[in-house]
Structures are given as structure tokens and as C-alpha cells.
Amino acid sequence: MPEKPVTLRDIWQARKRITSISEKTPLIYSPGLSEIAGTSVHLKLENLNVGGSFKIRGAANKILHLTEEERKCGVTTFSTGNFGMSVAYIARKLDIHATICISNRVPKAKVETLKRSGAHIEIYGDAQDDAEKRSYQLEQEKGLTVIHPFDDPDVIAGQGTIGLELLDELPEIDTVIGGLSGGGLHSGLGIALKSTDPEIQVIGLSTAKGAAMYESIKQGKPVSIQENNTLADSLLGGIGINNRYTFNMVQQYVDQIVLLTEEEFAQGIGFMLSKHRMVIEGAAASGIGAILNHQIPLGSHVVVIISGNSVDMPVILDVAERYTCNKGEGLL
């Protein structure tokens, strides 16, 4: 069991703490998606956050919790891209040295953004587990503080602030959908939403090409699995064999986990580009892809978390070519 459970009070405190770094993001109604779904669907635009994803929230809450001595020594994290960009942004803003560890599997667009961030970048191994190993080596070698991208109470509380904003703007919400990887987002959402109403459905979507949390839940314990290239690269990465928090929280708070195909991620990207004129990454498109293909049960007031916007331009060009309104694609 967690040594430090995350409470609703923690999330409210995180909301107050991070306001200097992370602003409230828009919640918009999607007419096209609502028509297809036959119910009211809103989009929570975390892609408009500073750093381009929801992960700025958890990173900010954690780093703002550090002692002065920890800040002086510097920080390190391991990431599939988005969390690293958030840590790099905050570290630069607060004049903290940061080392971001990533694997060779991180897409070029994210690597280039990280290289421009001012942080030191280390590319190590072929999976997030390898990058994690390097981060903890740096902790031992240089005294850096590891900022865990999801399995940390402060990070979970920061991500949970999304749930508070949803309740502010759409108190009738009964279903929330988003990409599920390490579980920090869904753990925070689960606490915020189900503390208000346990009947609110929290649904996680993962890639069939490396769904570590899904496989861990199936086997009843954290397990490692092989990663494969996917449009939803942000959903890759292990949950840690010694996972302390998010495995238990996902078991407790997530009502359903669904695996999606590459085609469904692509359709979600294409829909957002065509109908809302926004570029989003594959993980962010998971909820849209699931709804387009009727993969999940929906309530009367549904919110899809649009989690981030970091995607290689060739991917967008390919999706734009395949999924446009004038090509007769039935879903779009």
C-alpha cells in the first residue's frame, strides 16, 4: 500500500501551488463527435498547456515541493518525451539544472524540442525502463533528485487538478476518457472525480503495442513488457516492477481499460485536425478514436482528455492525406 496516500485535499493544494506555472485549460464542446456518439462530448484541451501536455501540472507540483538544497543539486527524470519537456521548462524557469533521460524510441520531434529546452539530454537504451535506470544512476553518481513521471504522490496530485477543473465547468460529467500509460493521470482523475461521485466512469485507453498497465492489471502485479513503435508513443513505458502508487490506484479508480489499434489512433488525429483544426499526438487522440469506433460505453456528459500535441510532422502530413473531409471517409 502507498506510504503517502494522495487525498482530495492534496489535489486542492496542488491547484493553488501550480497556478504560477500552469493555467486552466479550455473545455470545449465537440459538435461532430457528439453527433457520432449520440451524446454530449466535450474535449479538455491539455494540448494547450505550457509544455504542450497535461504533464506540466504534476511536474510543477513536484518540483515546487523540492527543498532549496534539492534545487541546488539539480533534478533528473526519465520520459517518453512530454514529462521531460515539462520538467525542462519548469527547471529553466526556476533556474534548476535538469538532466532528461530518454530512450532511442522517443520520436524526433520530441527529441528536438528537448534539445532546445536548455536541459541536458541523455539518450540511453531502447525503452523507458532503460532511461529510468540511467536516471537513478545519475541520482547515485551526482546527487540529482529523480522526478518520477507518474508514480509519485505530488505528481499524481498535480494531474488530479484536471478533475477539479472538469467539475468546475461541467459538474454533470459522468464519463471521462483518456490515454493510460503509467497511471498518473488516471490516479489523479480518479481521486478528484470519484471523491465527488463514485459513479463517474473513468476509462483508460492504451496501445496494443506496449500496454504495461493493462498487462499488469491482468496479471495482478506490475510486469515488464516489450515496447513497439506506435503512433501513441506517449502511452509506452513500463509502470515499474516496484510501483508504489499508480498500480493500486488504477485498480481502484479505473473502471475499464481498452486497447486501441494504430488505425484508431490515426483516425483520432485526423478527426481533430479536420473538425477542430488542431494538431495533437496519438495518445491525445485515443479517446476520439475510441468514440469514432464505438469501443467504449458512454454516459450523457462525456469528457475526452486531449493530453498533448507533440507529434512528428510527417505523421500529421500522412494523417492529413488519409483522413480529410473531401475524401469520403465515413468517420470524418
Side-chain angles (χ1 to χ4, degrees):
M1 292 297 293
E3 296 173 5
K4 179 188 174 186
V6 181
T7 67
L8 186 59
R9 184 189 297 273
D10 292 327
I11 296 175
W12 279 105
Q13 290 174 335
R15 180 176 182 169
K16 180 178 180 180
R17 185 176 297 113
I18 70 176
T19 51
S20 62
I21 293 177
S22 176
E23 297 181 355
K24 187 175 184 179
T25 56
L27 180 69
I28 66 169
Y29 178 71
S30 177
L33 206 54
S34 296
E35 181 178 357
I36 290 169
T39 194
S40 172
V41 180
H42 285 74
L43 309 177
K44 180 63 168 167
L45 301 182
E46 291 296 296
N47 55 307
L48 300 183
N49 250 318
V50 173
S53 80
F54 75 92
K55 295 192 175 184
I56 192 75
R57 297 170 181 265
N61 195 44
K62 178 62 178 180
I63 293 174
L64 290 171
H65 254 138
L66 297 180
T67 66
E68 284 302 316
E69 185 62 29
E70 287 171 329
R71 294 190 189 193
K72 288 178 183 178
C73 291
V75 300
T76 180
T77 193
F78 50 97
S79 172
T80 54
N82 286 336
F83 193 79
M85 287 185 273
S86 294
V87 169
Y89 172 83
I90 298 163
R92 186 172 184 176
K93 186 178 181 69
L94 299 178
D95 196 25
I96 299 171
H97 174 74
T99 297
I100 313 300
C101 299
I102 59 175
S103 78
N104 285 302
R105 203 174 293 281
V106 172
K108 182 180 178 181
K110 294 183 179 181
V111 175
E112 293 304 316
T113 300
L114 282 168
K115 287 181 176 179
R116 294 192 300 268
S117 70
H120 175 67
I121 310 302
E122 288 204 16
I123 302 176
Y124 189 89
D126 295 317
Q128 179 168 275
D129 287 348
D130 298 323
E132 177 180 5
K133 179 180 178 181
R134 181 56 184 154
S135 268
Y136 283 102
Q137 287 175 349
L138 291 172
E139 180 183 47
Q140 295 298 315
E141 294 169 4
K142 299 184 178 182
L144 305 183
T145 295
V146 175
I147 309 298
H148 199 290
F150 54 87
D151 198 34
D152 180 281
D154 293 330
V155 172
I156 293 167
Q159 317 305 26
T161 60
I162 297 172
L164 299 184
E165 292 179 14
L166 294 179
L167 291 167
D168 278 345
E169 294 195 53
L170 192 69
E172 59 269 43
I173 182 174
D174 57 18
T175 311
V176 62
I177 307 164
L180 172 65
S181 180
L185 172 62
H186 284 69
S187 296
L189 285 172
I191 296 164
L193 296 173
K194 288 182 178 284
S195 293
T196 301
D197 182 355
E199 297 304 312
I200 295 175
Q201 295 291 293
V202 177
I203 299 174
L205 304 169
S206 293
T207 169
K209 293 194 170 186
M213 183 64 79
Y214 174 82
E215 293 298 333
S216 296
I217 297 295
K218 277 180 61 177
Q219 297 190 36
K221 63 181 181 179
V223 298
S224 296
I225 65 168
Q226 181 178 346
E227 294 180 14
N228 295 287
N229 291 337
T230 171
L231 281 174
D233 55 274
S234 293
L235 301 184
L236 293 177
I239 69 168
I241 296 300
N242 298 313
N243 186 288
R244 297 169 63 194
Y245 304 103
T246 59
F247 174 71
N248 289 328
M249 289 182 175
V250 169
Q251 282 185 311
Q252 180 179 355
Y253 294 118
V254 176
D255 297 285
Q256 184 178 5
I257 303 174
V258 177
L259 302 187
L260 299 186
T261 66
E262 296 300 288
E263 183 71 8
E264 287 163 337
F265 291 123
Q267 289 172 0
I269 294 172
F271 184 93
M272 197 68 174
L273 188 62
S274 174
K275 298 298 186 181
H276 291 282
R277 300 296 189 264
M278 289 188 186
V279 171
I280 62 172
E281 63 189 71
S286 59
I288 297 174
I291 290 175
L292 291 176
N293 290 279
H294 307 287
Q295 290 280 32
I296 48 180
L298 301 175
S300 300
H301 298 280
V302 178
V303 171
V304 177
I305 307 296
I306 306 298
S307 54
N309 63 16
S310 185
V311 59
D312 284 349
M313 188 53 65
V315 172
I316 294 301
L317 294 176
D318 177 62
V319 169
E321 175 67 20
R322 288 193 291 147
Y323 301 103
T324 55
C325 289
N326 61 2
K327 292 205 171 189
E329 292 287 351
L331 292 175
L332 305 183

